[in-house]
Amino acid sequence: MDFQNTPEQEAFRQELRGWLAANLPRELCVDDPTDERVAPDRPTFEKRVAWQRVMCKAGWVGMSWPREYGGRGATLMEQLIYDEECFRARAPVLPGYSGIGMIGPTLIEVGTPAQKARFVPRILTAEDIWCQGFSEPGAGSDLAGLQTRAVDKGDHFLVNGQKVWTSGAQFAAWIYLLVRTDPAAPKHKGISYLLVDMKTPGITVRPLVLMNGHRHFNEVFFVDVAVPKANLVGAVNQGWGVAMTTLMYERKAGGGRGHDEQIRRLGALARELSVDGAPAWGSPLVRQRWAQLAIEAAAFKYTRYRNITRQLRGEPPGPEGSILKLFGSELGVRIADFAGELLGPRVLVNQPTAEVPDAPRWYNRVVSARQYTIAGGTSEIQRNIIGERVLGLPKD
Ligand SMILES: Cc1cc2nc3c(=O)[nH]c(=O)nc-3n(C[C@H](O)[C@H](O)[C@H](O)COP(=O)(O)OP(=O)(O)OC[C@H]3O[C@@H](n4cnc5c(N)ncnc54)[C@H](O)[C@@H]3O)c2cc1C
């Protein structure tokens, strides 16, 4: 792969970098955009919505979307540069990320003309914020085991059941929801995909508070919730295929970011931090651990580039794609573990102090890193996929 940007790509990077420097309000910048993907409170959420609108007006939202839907039709390299620059500027994750990254592209691909006309234009402009209602208390890795029922009532479905881990449901106007419409059919074949207005009577959102106090996700309860038939995506009982389309976009949107920056900061921390009266960096053990992380981050980055090169050449995804999620998220945990060991009990300091001036950065890392090994398919599930589908190993 060619590691140099073309002059056009470099111009694109500089244009975005300059625009962000001139327009991104400092108060919205986040220490580490991989944390706090959901706004911590409503005032911050509203500010981020306003920010998405500013970005949208300037043509910086929906990079991968086709131009006819208000997107930028950006190349893969431009999307990569976009991600890097937004991260570099510490721009918050946009509140509309679930709509922009998942339900929008799904509707563009499989929605009816009426659904496209009604829902798609309101996504980039942050008029509608969406959340994903897939997981349930008994259905995560085994998503097809979901039990939320939707009963056909003529012109509408009546939905009863519960979703869990629903990121951002406390702010969302709409939820894209998987429901069981045929309990007698084999489990993948009795599922339908609905678009549900969160203001519909019968919906209750209950926040799940993380141990660092963040309110990222929720339980969502449905009691006799009426959903118009017009909001069915794809055919009745064919929702599994639509869900796979959404999950394909989710995986595309995912991928580890920020490892290099976190490792750089850890190196700086080790130079500052005093252990037994001497800088931690003086210990060969600390330097070795740090170097190992730096090596792994480099391996991850180049594997990611190799994967992108394949896509740019129009080749089918290779094994790299399958290992990126696993390796990237687990490397994030190893980085957080090292931060924890380096700081010892000081990692728990959640406000800046003389000893830990950048608190609560590392505290948040330690608490948050593991979520990426679960969300979007756990590490064990990734290993199963790599073993069975990539390496062709026998199932038993
Ligand atoms: C930060 C975060 C945000 C999320 N946001 C959303 C959201 O917005 N909407 C949504 O619908 N969901 C969301 N999820 C849920 C996520 O998709 C599930 O947590 C995930 O799919 C795992 O399901 P589970 O939690 O039910 O765990 P389970 O599936 O119950 O797994 C429990 C353990 O068993 C292991 N295991 C399960 N099956 C196998 C197997 N076959 N082989 C080996 N090991 C196995 C798992 O790896 C795991 O360690 C989110 C999760 C997180 C962490």
Side-chain angles (χ1 to χ4, degrees):
M1 132 160 233
D2 185 355
F3 295 107
Q4 299 295 321
N5 286 335
T6 63
E8 293 77 29
Q9 287 162 356
E10 194 49 40
F12 176 82
R13 184 188 292 282
Q14 293 309 328
E15 185 193 350
L16 176 57
R17 189 175 291 186
W19 188 85
L20 285 169
N23 292 282
L24 175 60
R26 279 194 71 78
E27 60 157 345
L28 283 190
C29 292
V30 280
D31 184 52
D32 186 335
T34 50
D35 297 330
E36 232 188 62
R37 282 172 298 150
V38 172
D41 49 49
R42 189 159 285 278
T44 311
F45 169 73
E46 301 291 355
K47 284 179 195 159
R48 289 186 186 178
V49 165
W51 165 239
Q52 182 172 327
R53 291 188 179 145
V54 171
M55 285 195 86
C56 184
K57 262 205 180 122
W60 292 117
V61 183
M63 301 307 292
S64 62
W65 283 35
R67 285 185 181 273
E68 60 175 304
Y69 291 102
R72 195 155 172 140
T75 64
L76 201 58
M77 278 311 293
E78 286 170 342
Q79 291 170 45
L80 189 76
I81 292 168
Y82 175 86
D83 283 348
E84 286 175 357
E85 288 304 314
C86 288
F87 193 88
R88 183 180 178 277
R90 314 224 174 290
V93 171
L94 294 177
Y97 74 90
S98 196
I100 300 163
M102 289 169 250
I103 187 62
T106 302
L107 289 177
I108 288 172
E109 201 169 314
V110 300
T112 63
Q115 286 168 348
K116 288 182 196 178
R118 178 173 175 200
F119 295 111
V120 172
R122 298 172 62 85
I123 291 176
L124 298 187
T125 55
E127 285 162 280
D128 287 340
I129 299 297
W130 287 80
C131 63
Q132 181 187 78
F134 284 10
S135 305
E136 297 184 2
S141 302
D142 180 23
L143 182 59
L146 60 93
Q147 296 295 326
T148 295
R149 278 283 276 133
V151 177
D152 190 335
K153 294 284 182 184
D155 64 341
H156 68 277
F157 292 101
L158 206 59
V159 177
N160 280 281
Q162 185 201 337
K163 295 291 169 178
V164 73
W165 318 126
T166 320
S167 304
Q170 68 270 44
F171 302 127
W174 287 83
I175 184 168
Y176 47 101
L177 192 71
L178 290 183
V179 291
R180 184 157 303 284
T181 33
D182 184 355
K187 60 183 182 178
H188 293 87
K189 301 203 167 138
I191 292 171
S192 299
Y193 194 118
L194 299 177
L195 309 175
V196 183
D197 185 339
M198 290 291 280
K199 289 190 300 299
T200 318
I203 300 181
T204 310
V205 176
R206 209 159 69 186
L208 293 161
V209 184
L210 304 186
M211 56 182 148
N212 58 358
H214 287 177
R215 288 164 181 254
H216 179 96
F217 41 35
N218 305 266
E219 295 175 295
V220 185
F221 299 89
F222 299 82
V223 178
D224 289 338
V225 174
V227 182
K229 283 263 177 81
N231 292 7
L232 173 73
V233 185
V236 180
N237 296 327
Q238 304 290 315
W240 187 250
V242 184
M244 290 304 105
T245 304
T246 305
L247 291 175
M248 186 196 73
Y249 283 112
E250 180 169 4
R251 280 195 288 267
K252 243 179 160 177
R257 293 194 305 175
H259 295 136
D260 289 341
E261 173 66 2
Q262 282 158 14
I263 292 168
R264 192 191 62 73
R265 287 174 174 186
L266 268 182
L269 178 72
R271 286 179 176 85
E272 291 291 316
L273 200 70
S274 171
V275 177
D276 297 334
W281 191 251
S283 156
L285 189 66
V286 167
R287 293 200 304 275
Q288 235 169 45
R289 288 284 304 278
W290 184 87
Q292 183 62 34
L293 293 174
I295 291 165
E296 292 180 12
F300 174 76
K301 187 162 77 186
Y302 293 123
T303 307
R304 191 150 166 255
Y305 284 173
R306 205 161 59 236
N307 188 41
I308 288 164
T309 305
R310 265 183 198 271
Q311 292 180 49
L312 287 172
R313 290 189 191 135
E315 293 171 12
E320 295 90 359
S322 310
I323 62 171
L324 282 170
K325 158 82 169 72
L326 174 66
F327 191 80
S329 60
E330 300 223 325
L331 175 56
V333 173
R334 286 194 288 279
I335 293 170
D337 285 350
F338 181 54
E341 287 173 46
L342 203 57
L343 282 162
R346 287 171 284 195
V347 79
L348 293 172
V349 174
N350 65 2
Q351 282 177 14
T353 62
E355 271 198 314
V356 195
D358 56 356
R361 174 187 298 159
W362 301 112
Y363 172 67
N364 281 333
R365 275 292 72 228
V366 169
V367 171
S368 303
R370 205 161 290 277
Q371 63 177 284
Y372 295 101
T373 67
I374 301 170
T378 67
S379 287
E380 289 75 20
I381 295 299
Q382 301 307 315
R383 287 195 177 87
N384 284 350
I385 292 171
I386 293 166
E388 290 164 16
R389 295 194 213 148
V390 179
L391 301 176
L393 299 176
K395 276 200 168 196
D396 297 313

